[in-house]
């Protein structure tokens, strides 16, 4: 398929919601070309959506069909928003940084087109990463991310049960009536 795709799901991990964003980039993305621009636009859409969830635990994964430097939004997420390219940091878990994940055909150089990115809130829970060289798929090797359930922490605020708006308004009306004994509730 030559067109890009995008999907996201909230997943409950040990009672904590983690947002998984899956991207399949436009085929043939090279820095500056139309495919890279379109994939970068999809990442931009994701970034805009993530602004609505500033303290969420997030994994963004997928086949970008290009190197990370072809996508300015990815590069800004890493450099300015404290996201981590897990495969680039695989040495933290005993792996090889930027290990290749795919090879289109025997005569083509292997590349890294499959990625896991995590935001700073989820990064402490990353317990492992590896490229599973199983040779069961024609063009890709599976990548695996391990999260330590005991370390899946939330930086998001805990919502407390709030008083309903109706109860608050009724209290204000009652206070106004008590302050002005000649006032009728219907006049407020």
């Amino acid at each position: 398929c030559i067109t890009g795709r995008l999907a996201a799901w909230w997943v409950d991990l040990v009672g904590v919601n983690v947002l998984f964003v899956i991207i399949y980039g436009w085929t043939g993305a090279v820095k500056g070309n139309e495919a890279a621009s379109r994939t970068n636009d999809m990442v931009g859409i994701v970034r805009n959506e993530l602004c609505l969830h500033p303290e969420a635990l997030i994994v963004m994964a997928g086949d970008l069909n290009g190197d990370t430097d072809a996508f300015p939004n990815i590069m800004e997420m890493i450099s300015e928003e404290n996201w981590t390219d897990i495969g680039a940091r695989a040495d933290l878990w005993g792996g090889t940084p930027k290990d290749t994940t795919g090879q289109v055909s025997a005569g083509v150089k292997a590349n890294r087109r499959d990625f896991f990115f995590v935001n700073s809130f989820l990064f402490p829970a990353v317990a492992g990463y590896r490229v599973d060289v199983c040779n069961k798929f024609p063009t890709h090797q599976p990548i695996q991310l391990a999260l330590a359930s005991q370390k899946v922490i939330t930086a998001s605020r805990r919502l407390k049960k709030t008083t309903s708006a109706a109860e608050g308004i009724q209290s204000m009306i009652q206070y106004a009536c008590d302050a002005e004994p000649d006032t009728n509730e219907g006049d407020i």
Side-chain angles (χ1 to χ4, degrees), residues 100-112 114 137-141:
T100 60
T101 63
Q103 187 168 4
V104 178
S105 63
V108 176
K109 182 181 172 191
N111 56 49
R112 184 169 86 105
D114 307 291
F137 304 97
T139 58
H140 294 274
Q141 301 298 337

Side-chain angles (χ1 to χ4, degrees), residues 6-153:
L6 177 63
W9 294 273
W10 287 99
V11 178
D12 182 307
L13 296 178
V14 295
V16 176
N17 286 321
V18 177
L19 180 59
F20 284 82
V21 178
I22 311 302
I23 296 178
Y24 181 78
W26 286 74
T27 300
V30 176
K31 190 173 185 175
N33 77 358
E34 185 177 359
S37 178
R38 288 178 173 182
T39 299
N40 188 60
D41 287 346
M42 286 195 310
V43 175
I45 291 166
V46 169
R47 285 179 79 188
N48 287 334
E49 177 65 25
L50 297 182
C51 287
L52 301 173
H53 311 285
E55 297 178 348
L57 304 171
I58 305 167
V59 175
M60 189 168 67
D63 178 354
L64 296 180
N65 277 311
D67 296 326
T68 54
D69 68 351
F71 313 108
N73 275 306
I74 295 278
M75 300 308 293
E76 288 172 13
M77 290 171 75
I78 293 169
S79 66
E80 299 172 17
E81 298 170 15
N82 296 314
W83 282 73
T84 301
D85 174 351
I86 296 298
R89 304 292 313 275
D91 55 315
L92 296 174
W93 304 280
T96 303
K98 298 185 177 183
D99 202 2
T100 60
T101 63
Q103 187 168 4
V104 178
S105 63
V108 176
K109 182 181 172 191
N111 56 49
R112 184 169 86 105
R113 298 291 184 260
D114 307 291
F115 300 89
F116 281 115
F117 303 96
V118 299
N119 69 351
S120 61
F121 298 123
L122 188 59
F123 181 76
V126 176
Y129 168 86
R130 76 181 187 124
V131 177
D132 180 13
V133 183
C134 64
N135 295 317
K136 292 184 179 181
F137 304 97
T139 58
H140 294 274
Q141 301 298 337
I143 57 175
Q144 299 174 333
L145 175 71
L147 298 173
S149 60
Q150 72 276 13
K151 291 185 178 180
V152 174
I153 57 170

Side-chain angles (χ1 to χ4, degrees), residues 149-171:
S149 60
Q150 72 276 13
K151 291 185 178 180
V152 174
I153 57 170
T154 64
S156 61
R157 57 194 158 113
R158 298 270 187 220
L159 297 175
K160 297 180 181 177
K161 184 178 179 184
T162 60
T163 307
S164 82
E167 290 172 1
I169 291 170
Q170 185 60 43
S171 292

